[in-house]
Amino acid sequence: MKLSIGKTATGDNFFQRDKVIAEIYEALEEGQNLLLSAPRRVGKTSIIHYIKDNPSEDYYCVYVDTEDVSDSQTFFKVLLKAIFDIENKSRFLKTIEKAGKKLKGFFSSIENVEIGGVKIDFNDKSDEKIDYYEKFKDFLEKVDLDNRTILLMVDEFPVTIEHIRDEQGEQAARNFLKQNRAIRQNDKYNQKIKFIYTGSIGLLSVVKKLNATADVNDIQTYKLRPLPLRDALDLARVLLKSYQIETSEDVLVYLLKEKIEWLIPFHIQLAIKEIRDLYRIEEREVNQSFIDQAFNELILNGSIYLEHYRGRLSQVFNRNELALVHELLKKLTEAVSVSELELYDLAVKHQLEDSFKNILLTLEYDGYIAEANEKQWRFYSPILKKWWSKNV
């Protein structure tokens, strides 16, 4: 296993999270559609790619990124195209053959349905008048999946909603949400298809702006949490071993609990990279003093990996909100935690009382801040806090 920083970890570079995968499948078996929820860089996309690459024999796993979609018809066209994709079929077929099972008419059923009786060239722009929402429903109505289920993993779903809102207006975005809910709620369809939604922005904050939370309240939220200490230790050991670096468990515990604290794979890998680079300069004992030096180097050198936290804010907030957010984060660099009342006073100053809760929710989902105790807020990560204090 090698370092995989700033990109989706796949194959041998994916740190196995068996408990998480098992819990996701358990929720699906209970009939749920899922929102995989976590702040940025916790590993949402890596997990759904793992599920895609290692499908259960009971699920035809289809991954689709809808970040560039800005209308509902294109959305359902993209979903259908992914279901018919040869690579997805080949991957699933290998899984079934490995399990020693037969498919009967699984793929022939998909092909024979021909998307509502009409053969469609997905690359042909002349089919723009086709109602892909109706074709998607017609496909689900007619397809026979041999008692298996299509697991459709939709990445960047909240971004898609925002694009539709920006391009076509709020009512179009609300209609889009209602279309998706109608499919999930249909008893004929929900035996054949399940959805896992995820994205780099929070679904709840997006639908709240549309006053449309009722259209997603049937989706069960699965919160992806940081690694437990045991797993974080395993990840750190495996990475260090790949670079022939040895240290004691006490030193690793110091690194994880005292320096990193928020145990997400991204931050653990950032720290291991600095340890590796420092060790290559001078091969000496990796003790607490060495860890302190590596951590300081991370704060100095981390901009290439952490700068996106600063740049992202201007994409999410308007100018007035951005001024409040910068002042709010500055205050959080100056204390262990800050009361929500103090932060609310900043919102009053900027005349953003009505937006305050949603701003906090967005910052929490995007991995900036967390509620430490009741009505007390802090930076999620000491790494981000120290970097923010120094660079922003």
PDB file of all heavy atoms in Angstrom, residues 312-331:
ATOM      1  N   ARG A 312     -12.433  26.613  -1.884  1.00  0.00           N
ATOM      2  CA  ARG A 312     -13.787  26.088  -1.993  1.00  0.00           C
ATOM      3  C   ARG A 312     -14.828  27.054  -1.429  1.00  0.00           C
ATOM      4  O   ARG A 312     -15.954  27.114  -1.904  1.00  0.00           O
ATOM      5  CB  ARG A 312     -13.869  24.753  -1.262  1.00  0.00           C
ATOM      6  CG  ARG A 312     -15.271  24.192  -1.230  1.00  0.00           C
ATOM      7  CD  ARG A 312     -15.288  22.721  -0.948  1.00  0.00           C
ATOM      8  NE  ARG A 312     -16.652  22.260  -0.920  1.00  0.00           N
ATOM      9  CZ  ARG A 312     -17.396  22.048  -1.996  1.00  0.00           C
ATOM     10  NH1 ARG A 312     -16.878  22.288  -3.185  1.00  0.00           N
ATOM     11  NH2 ARG A 312     -18.635  21.631  -1.898  1.00  0.00           N
ATOM     12  N   LEU A 313     -14.457  27.831  -0.419  1.00  0.00           N
ATOM     13  CA  LEU A 313     -15.420  28.714   0.233  1.00  0.00           C
ATOM     14  C   LEU A 313     -16.045  29.704  -0.743  1.00  0.00           C
ATOM     15  O   LEU A 313     -17.241  29.985  -0.679  1.00  0.00           O
ATOM     16  CB  LEU A 313     -14.748  29.467   1.380  1.00  0.00           C
ATOM     17  CG  LEU A 313     -14.294  28.615   2.570  1.00  0.00           C
ATOM     18  CD1 LEU A 313     -13.583  29.489   3.601  1.00  0.00           C
ATOM     19  CD2 LEU A 313     -15.460  27.884   3.210  1.00  0.00           C
ATOM     20  N   SER A 314     -15.227  30.226  -1.658  1.00  0.00           N
ATOM     21  CA  SER A 314     -15.753  31.202  -2.606  1.00  0.00           C
ATOM     22  C   SER A 314     -16.691  30.573  -3.622  1.00  0.00           C
ATOM     23  O   SER A 314     -17.459  31.270  -4.290  1.00  0.00           O
ATOM     24  CB  SER A 314     -14.597  31.905  -3.334  1.00  0.00           C
ATOM     25  OG  SER A 314     -13.807  30.970  -4.032  1.00  0.00           O
ATOM     26  N   GLN A 315     -16.632  29.240  -3.763  1.00  0.00           N
ATOM     27  CA  GLN A 315     -17.555  28.540  -4.656  1.00  0.00           C
ATOM     28  C   GLN A 315     -18.902  28.287  -3.988  1.00  0.00           C
ATOM     29  O   GLN A 315     -19.917  28.137  -4.660  1.00  0.00           O
ATOM     30  CB  GLN A 315     -16.949  27.202  -5.087  1.00  0.00           C
ATOM     31  CG  GLN A 315     -15.634  27.328  -5.832  1.00  0.00           C
ATOM     32  CD  GLN A 315     -14.970  25.981  -6.048  1.00  0.00           C
ATOM     33  OE1 GLN A 315     -15.533  24.945  -5.738  1.00  0.00           O
ATOM     34  NE2 GLN A 315     -13.761  26.004  -6.589  1.00  0.00           N
ATOM     35  N   VAL A 316     -18.893  28.225  -2.665  1.00  0.00           N
ATOM     36  CA  VAL A 316     -20.085  27.829  -1.906  1.00  0.00           C
ATOM     37  C   VAL A 316     -20.873  29.032  -1.397  1.00  0.00           C
ATOM     38  O   VAL A 316     -22.107  28.999  -1.369  1.00  0.00           O
ATOM     39  CB  VAL A 316     -19.675  26.921  -0.722  1.00  0.00           C
ATOM     40  CG1 VAL A 316     -20.877  26.584   0.150  1.00  0.00           C
ATOM     41  CG2 VAL A 316     -19.012  25.649  -1.239  1.00  0.00           C
ATOM     42  N   PHE A 317     -20.165  30.109  -1.011  1.00  0.00           N
ATOM     43  CA  PHE A 317     -20.815  31.247  -0.359  1.00  0.00           C
ATOM     44  C   PHE A 317     -20.731  32.504  -1.220  1.00  0.00           C
ATOM     45  O   PHE A 317     -19.758  32.704  -1.960  1.00  0.00           O
ATOM     46  CB  PHE A 317     -20.159  31.519   1.002  1.00  0.00           C
ATOM     47  CG  PHE A 317     -20.245  30.373   1.973  1.00  0.00           C
ATOM     48  CD1 PHE A 317     -19.124  29.617   2.289  1.00  0.00           C
ATOM     49  CD2 PHE A 317     -21.463  30.039   2.557  1.00  0.00           C
ATOM     50  CE1 PHE A 317     -19.204  28.555   3.190  1.00  0.00           C
ATOM     51  CE2 PHE A 317     -21.554  28.977   3.454  1.00  0.00           C
ATOM     52  CZ  PHE A 317     -20.432  28.236   3.766  1.00  0.00           C
ATOM     53  N   ASN A 318     -21.748  33.366  -1.089  1.00  0.00           N
ATOM     54  CA  ASN A 318     -21.678  34.656  -1.760  1.00  0.00           C
ATOM     55  C   ASN A 318     -20.749  35.584  -0.981  1.00  0.00           C
ATOM     56  O   ASN A 318     -20.224  35.227   0.070  1.00  0.00           O
ATOM     57  CB  ASN A 318     -23.076  35.265  -1.929  1.00  0.00           C
ATOM     58  CG  ASN A 318     -23.768  35.555  -0.597  1.00  0.00           C
ATOM     59  OD1 ASN A 318     -23.134  35.994   0.360  1.00  0.00           O
ATOM     60  ND2 ASN A 318     -25.071  35.312  -0.542  1.00  0.00           N
ATOM     61  N   ARG A 319     -20.548  36.808  -1.496  1.00  0.00           N
ATOM     62  CA  ARG A 319     -19.532  37.700  -0.923  1.00  0.00           C
ATOM     63  C   ARG A 319     -19.802  38.027   0.546  1.00  0.00           C
ATOM     64  O   ARG A 319     -18.885  37.989   1.379  1.00  0.00           O
ATOM     65  CB  ARG A 319     -19.463  38.993  -1.741  1.00  0.00           C
ATOM     66  CG  ARG A 319     -18.397  39.962  -1.247  1.00  0.00           C
ATOM     67  CD  ARG A 319     -18.333  41.201  -2.113  1.00  0.00           C
ATOM     68  NE  ARG A 319     -17.952  40.875  -3.483  1.00  0.00           N
ATOM     69  CZ  ARG A 319     -17.809  41.779  -4.446  1.00  0.00           C
ATOM     70  NH1 ARG A 319     -18.030  43.065  -4.187  1.00  0.00           N
ATOM     71  NH2 ARG A 319     -17.462  41.412  -5.662  1.00  0.00           N
ATOM     72  N   ASN A 320     -21.049  38.333   0.888  1.00  0.00           N
ATOM     73  CA  ASN A 320     -21.376  38.692   2.269  1.00  0.00           C
ATOM     74  C   ASN A 320     -21.204  37.483   3.190  1.00  0.00           C
ATOM     75  O   ASN A 320     -20.655  37.588   4.289  1.00  0.00           O
ATOM     76  CB  ASN A 320     -22.809  39.223   2.346  1.00  0.00           C
ATOM     77  CG  ASN A 320     -23.088  39.914   3.667  1.00  0.00           C
ATOM     78  OD1 ASN A 320     -22.187  40.408   4.334  1.00  0.00           O
ATOM     79  ND2 ASN A 320     -24.354  39.931   4.063  1.00  0.00           N
ATOM     80  N   GLU A 321     -21.669  36.311   2.741  1.00  0.00           N
ATOM     81  CA  GLU A 321     -21.506  35.088   3.537  1.00  0.00           C
ATOM     82  C   GLU A 321     -20.030  34.763   3.709  1.00  0.00           C
ATOM     83  O   GLU A 321     -19.608  34.309   4.784  1.00  0.00           O
ATOM     84  CB  GLU A 321     -22.222  33.930   2.851  1.00  0.00           C
ATOM     85  CG  GLU A 321     -23.741  34.043   2.856  1.00  0.00           C
ATOM     86  CD  GLU A 321     -24.401  33.002   1.969  1.00  0.00           C
ATOM     87  OE1 GLU A 321     -23.742  32.497   1.037  1.00  0.00           O
ATOM     88  OE2 GLU A 321     -25.594  32.702   2.197  1.00  0.00           O
ATOM     89  N   LEU A 322     -19.253  34.968   2.651  1.00  0.00           N
ATOM     90  CA  LEU A 322     -17.822  34.649   2.706  1.00  0.00           C
ATOM     91  C   LEU A 322     -17.105  35.499   3.746  1.00  0.00           C
ATOM     92  O   LEU A 322     -16.232  35.012   4.476  1.00  0.00           O
ATOM     93  CB  LEU A 322     -17.204  34.869   1.321  1.00  0.00           C
ATOM     94  CG  LEU A 322     -15.780  34.376   1.108  1.00  0.00           C
ATOM     95  CD1 LEU A 322     -15.684  32.877   1.337  1.00  0.00           C
ATOM     96  CD2 LEU A 322     -15.304  34.724  -0.304  1.00  0.00           C
ATOM     97  N   ALA A 323     -17.476  36.762   3.854  1.00  0.00           N
ATOM     98  CA  ALA A 323     -16.872  37.635   4.865  1.00  0.00           C
ATOM     99  C   ALA A 323     -17.172  37.114   6.267  1.00  0.00           C
ATOM    100  O   ALA A 323     -16.297  37.092   7.146  1.00  0.00           O
ATOM    101  CB  ALA A 323     -17.399  39.058   4.700  1.00  0.00           C
ATOM    102  N   LEU A 324     -18.428  36.679   6.479  1.00  0.00           N
ATOM    103  CA  LEU A 324     -18.788  36.105   7.781  1.00  0.00           C
ATOM    104  C   LEU A 324     -18.005  34.829   8.043  1.00  0.00           C
ATOM    105  O   LEU A 324     -17.462  34.637   9.145  1.00  0.00           O
ATOM    106  CB  LEU A 324     -20.289  35.806   7.816  1.00  0.00           C
ATOM    107  CG  LEU A 324     -20.774  34.903   8.971  1.00  0.00           C
ATOM    108  CD1 LEU A 324     -20.466  35.546  10.327  1.00  0.00           C
ATOM    109  CD2 LEU A 324     -22.257  34.615   8.834  1.00  0.00           C
ATOM    110  N   VAL A 325     -17.909  33.962   7.061  1.00  0.00           N
ATOM    111  CA  VAL A 325     -17.232  32.669   7.240  1.00  0.00           C
ATOM    112  C   VAL A 325     -15.766  32.876   7.593  1.00  0.00           C
ATOM    113  O   VAL A 325     -15.236  32.211   8.498  1.00  0.00           O
ATOM    114  CB  VAL A 325     -17.390  31.809   5.964  1.00  0.00           C
ATOM    115  CG1 VAL A 325     -16.437  30.624   5.988  1.00  0.00           C
ATOM    116  CG2 VAL A 325     -18.821  31.322   5.828  1.00  0.00           C
ATOM    117  N   HIS A 326     -15.099  33.798   6.923  1.00  0.00           N
ATOM    118  CA  HIS A 326     -13.682  34.046   7.227  1.00  0.00           C
ATOM    119  C   HIS A 326     -13.516  34.581   8.655  1.00  0.00           C
ATOM    120  O   HIS A 326     -12.582  34.178   9.368  1.00  0.00           O
ATOM    121  CB  HIS A 326     -13.086  35.029   6.220  1.00  0.00           C
ATOM    122  CG  HIS A 326     -12.586  34.364   4.972  1.00  0.00           C
ATOM    123  ND1 HIS A 326     -11.395  33.683   4.913  1.00  0.00           N
ATOM    124  CD2 HIS A 326     -13.128  34.257   3.734  1.00  0.00           C
ATOM    125  CE1 HIS A 326     -11.213  33.192   3.704  1.00  0.00           C
ATOM    126  NE2 HIS A 326     -12.252  33.528   2.963  1.00  0.00           N
ATOM    127  N   GLU A 327     -14.419  35.455   9.066  1.00  0.00           N
ATOM    128  CA  GLU A 327     -14.335  35.984  10.431  1.00  0.00           C
ATOM    129  C   GLU A 327     -14.638  34.886  11.455  1.00  0.00           C
ATOM    130  O   GLU A 327     -13.990  34.790  12.505  1.00  0.00           O
ATOM    131  CB  GLU A 327     -15.307  37.154  10.589  1.00  0.00           C
ATOM    132  CG  GLU A 327     -15.075  37.961  11.856  1.00  0.00           C
ATOM    133  CD  GLU A 327     -15.842  39.270  11.875  1.00  0.00           C
ATOM    134  OE1 GLU A 327     -16.352  39.695  10.801  1.00  0.00           O
ATOM    135  OE2 GLU A 327     -15.936  39.874  12.963  1.00  0.00           O
ATOM    136  N   LEU A 328     -15.597  34.054  11.132  1.00  0.00           N
ATOM    137  CA  LEU A 328     -15.966  32.950  12.021  1.00  0.00           C
ATOM    138  C   LEU A 328     -14.804  31.962  12.186  1.00  0.00           C
ATOM    139  O   LEU A 328     -14.458  31.566  13.307  1.00  0.00           O
ATOM    140  CB  LEU A 328     -17.199  32.254  11.432  1.00  0.00           C
ATOM    141  CG  LEU A 328     -17.878  31.102  12.171  1.00  0.00           C
ATOM    142  CD1 LEU A 328     -19.354  31.046  11.775  1.00  0.00           C
ATOM    143  CD2 LEU A 328     -17.238  29.768  11.827  1.00  0.00           C
ATOM    144  N   LEU A 329     -14.170  31.602  11.077  1.00  0.00           N
ATOM    145  CA  LEU A 329     -13.061  30.644  11.147  1.00  0.00           C
ATOM    146  C   LEU A 329     -11.845  31.259  11.849  1.00  0.00           C
ATOM    147  O   LEU A 329     -11.109  30.555  12.558  1.00  0.00           O
ATOM    148  CB  LEU A 329     -12.693  30.164   9.747  1.00  0.00           C
ATOM    149  CG  LEU A 329     -13.749  29.296   9.045  1.00  0.00           C
ATOM    150  CD1 LEU A 329     -13.329  28.970   7.618  1.00  0.00           C
ATOM    151  CD2 LEU A 329     -14.004  28.000   9.822  1.00  0.00           C
ATOM    152  N   LYS A 330     -11.642  32.554  11.651  1.00  0.00           N
ATOM    153  CA  LYS A 330     -10.534  33.212  12.356  1.00  0.00           C
ATOM    154  C   LYS A 330     -10.737  33.134  13.862  1.00  0.00           C
ATOM    155  O   LYS A 330      -9.801  32.859  14.626  1.00  0.00           O
ATOM    156  CB  LYS A 330     -10.425  34.676  11.906  1.00  0.00           C
ATOM    157  CG  LYS A 330      -9.269  35.433  12.561  1.00  0.00           C
ATOM    158  CD  LYS A 330      -9.191  36.859  12.034  1.00  0.00           C
ATOM    159  CE  LYS A 330      -7.961  37.574  12.581  1.00  0.00           C
ATOM    160  NZ  LYS A 330      -7.958  37.691  14.057  1.00  0.00           N
ATOM    161  N   LYS A 331     -11.965  33.364  14.307  1.00  0.00           N
ATOM    162  CA  LYS A 331     -12.253  33.278  15.747  1.00  0.00           C
ATOM    163  C   LYS A 331     -11.992  31.870  16.267  1.00  0.00           C
ATOM    164  O   LYS A 331     -11.482  31.681  17.378  1.00  0.00           O
ATOM    165  CB  LYS A 331     -13.702  33.698  16.020  1.00  0.00           C
ATOM    166  CG  LYS A 331     -14.094  33.667  17.496  1.00  0.00           C
ATOM    167  CD  LYS A 331     -15.473  34.237  17.739  1.00  0.00           C
ATOM    168  CE  LYS A 331     -15.436  35.739  17.842  1.00  0.00           C
ATOM    169  NZ  LYS A 331     -14.749  36.250  19.049  1.00  0.00           N
TER     170      LYS A 331
END
